[in-house]
Amino acid sequence: KEALQKKSPYVYLLPEGTVQGQKVPVYFYLSERLLELLEEDAIRQAANAATLPGVVKAIYVMPDVHVGYGFPVGGVMATDTKEGIISPGSIGYDINCGVRLIATSLTADKVYPVREKLMQEILRNVPAGVGSTGKLKLSKKELAEVLVKGARWAVERGFGFEEDLQHIESEGALPGADPSKVSNTAYERGSGELGTVGSGNHFVEIQVVDEIYDEEISETLGLYEGQVTIMVHSGSRGLGHQVCVDYLKVAKDSLAKYGISLPDMQLACMPFSSPEGQSYFGAMKAAANYAFANRQILGYLTADTVRRFFGLSWEDLGYRLIYDLAHNIGKVEKHRVNGKVMELVVHRKGATRAFPPFHGEVPPAYRSIGQPVLIPGDVGRYSFLLVGQERSMEMSFGSACHGAGRLMSRSKAKELVRREGLEKVLEGLVVVAKGKGTIAEEIPQAYKDVSEVVRVVHELGIAKLVARMRPLGTLKG
Ligand code: 5GP
Ligand code: MN
Ligand code: MN
């Protein structure tokens, strides 16, 4: 930590050359409070990544940073498509883990009194939990179709609406996905898990908009105080995990062939343009598309449950997908580096794309306000909606934070629950799950205060605060 230089409020620099072979600087975006929580190992991991072949400009670390597999969660790295590598560990095991936010025209006064019953109904209808399987059991052929079509596959099967696709990052399907690069083991793991939440910090949450920071942008998004929203957080389940496992091995086995030496084997990678790199990229995109389909189904199942619970038509429910985004992903994007436009492989691991107003990849409806940035907080306090701002392009390859980030280890959280009792720790909250095990690990006290995290990206001009949502009830895996 001593090696960090404070450059301006919220900006800490680890200059290039601090560790051996470090080619580019690392920027940490933190408040003083969050700097105190920064782990030495997270600094080391970010510095290690700055030694990788073809890494460009700088590594950026978001305020919700914590130690990850090889590369810190909250990290953004870009590599040259020609000379650079692609690193599975720097994208993450849960490929296209991400967040979806759905607006309704219900108001909290309707939902609050019946929230326990409603959450029980959601628990019944939305599959969640370790190794849970959904209502779909897909053949290899059907699954290969999901891996190419993404969210559209789900819409074609009746899970949602054509308009939804306009409000998903990359329209819910990354082009160039290659199902033939996904292993049979991954197919097997994925065949029964589509449309399931999973476990850990994945969730489906009923929320109420309780604070508006920007009236004009909220109006464009159709958000107002007292409105009920649905938030979904899940990813590519066992299929994406297996793709990461498979290609970490491929990467390790090809290191010698490509003459790559690493400070940490968890950063095992391959040249992006090599056959191995391209195979991983094709498989990663396939897994990402599975995750887009997964959240499409989960969002629809949840909204449909809410709709039936209140006996409403879709129209009266006011179902509208605000946005759906990835926060563990690798993408080829054009960015300006030293005045020159370069094609880069942007690795976002626990980081959200945050493109500014008038960027070509922001959906037309949001073109003038910037891309929605959805930031879950924790099961007890609140979550946030921001929009991407101009400075993200120069400060973080168009990226922002992705959550609050863990404060307490899972075992420490369980210890607290054992000491205090779950009832007391979750006082007043409605949290449902198949088993009580994960809830204890996921208590609000286990997370940093997300309001501190989003304040940093807001102050830096990376993304702008628009609205805050409070949980009415949460389904945990
Ligand atoms: P991750 O992508 O790192 O698995 O998790 C993203 C973020 O989700 C966490 O950093 C945490 O802030 C947030 N989170 C975890 N559980 C919950 C929950 O039950 N409700 C909400 N609103 N946020 C959560
Ligand atoms: Mn996630
Ligand atoms: Mn995940």
Side-chain angles (χ1 to χ4, degrees), residues 206-346:
I206 306 296
Q207 311 172 322
V208 52
V209 177
D210 83 325
E211 184 90 49
I212 296 283
Y213 303 95
D214 190 304
E215 291 282 351
E216 224 178 289
I217 296 178
S218 297
E219 205 165 300
T220 306
L221 290 166
L223 290 176
Y224 48 90
E225 237 181 278
Q227 180 181 20
V228 170
T229 56
I230 300 167
M231 186 177 270
V232 175
H233 174 220
S234 188
S236 50
R237 312 286 290 105
L239 183 139
H241 184 271
Q242 189 63 42
V243 166
C244 185
V245 170
D246 291 340
Y247 283 94
L248 277 169
K249 181 164 190 322
V250 170
K252 282 176 192 159
D253 293 345
S254 68
L255 288 172
K257 176 170 153 194
Y258 294 114
I260 298 172
S261 58
L262 298 169
D264 176 358
M265 272 313 270
Q266 295 188 352
L267 287 172
C269 55
M270 43 235 156
F272 178 69
S273 60
S274 69
E276 291 86 351
Q278 286 300 300
S279 294
Y280 167 63
F281 194 47
M284 193 256 348
K285 289 196 276 194
N289 291 345
Y290 182 94
F292 280 131
N294 191 34
R295 287 193 296 274
Q296 179 67 36
I297 295 170
L298 291 171
Y300 176 85
L301 287 179
T302 309
D304 195 34
T305 304
V306 174
R307 182 182 77 80
R308 288 167 191 270
F309 184 86
F310 289 103
L312 301 171
S313 65
W314 282 101
E315 205 164 30
D316 291 336
L317 175 68
Y319 169 94
R320 206 157 43 79
L321 177 56
I322 299 271
Y323 203 60
D324 180 292
L325 54 79
H327 56 219
N328 277 1
I329 200 134
K331 285 185 140 181
V332 173
E333 294 172 0
K334 290 194 170 77
H335 287 274
R336 193 171 284 278
V337 180
N338 301 325
K340 213 174 78 205
V341 176
M342 287 181 80
E343 205 175 56
L344 303 173
V345 189
V346 181

Side-chain angles (χ1 to χ4, degrees), residues 94 97 202 233:
D94 191 2
C97 188
H202 298 145
H233 174 220

Side-chain angles (χ1 to χ4, degrees), residues 127 143 185 188 210 296 347 358 436 460:
L143 202 44
T185 316
E188 277 156 29
D210 83 325
Q296 179 67 36
H347 298 66
F358 305 110
K436 286 270 179 268
L460 285 169

Side-chain angles (χ1 to χ4, degrees), residues 48-125:
N48 284 343
T51 71
L52 294 176
V55 63
V56 168
K57 197 176 166 191
I59 304 273
Y60 300 105
V61 182
M62 295 298 148
D64 50 338
V65 55
H66 58 92
V67 170
Y69 180 87
F71 191 58
V73 175
V76 181
M77 166 173 69
T79 53
D80 190 327
T81 48
K82 289 184 215 79
E83 271 118 53
I85 52 82
I86 186 164
S87 156
S90 305
I91 287 167
Y93 274 100
D94 191 2
I95 294 166
N96 189 6
C97 188
V99 186
R100 162 172 296 228
L101 185 71
I102 295 164
T104 74
S105 43
L106 285 167
T107 48
D109 54 321
K110 272 254 173 55
V111 176
Y112 191 87
V114 292
R115 59 199 181 127
E116 305 230 12
K117 262 180 119 176
L118 174 62
M119 290 316 297
Q120 287 303 329
E121 203 56 31
I122 290 174
L123 176 64
R124 244 191 306 280
N125 291 332

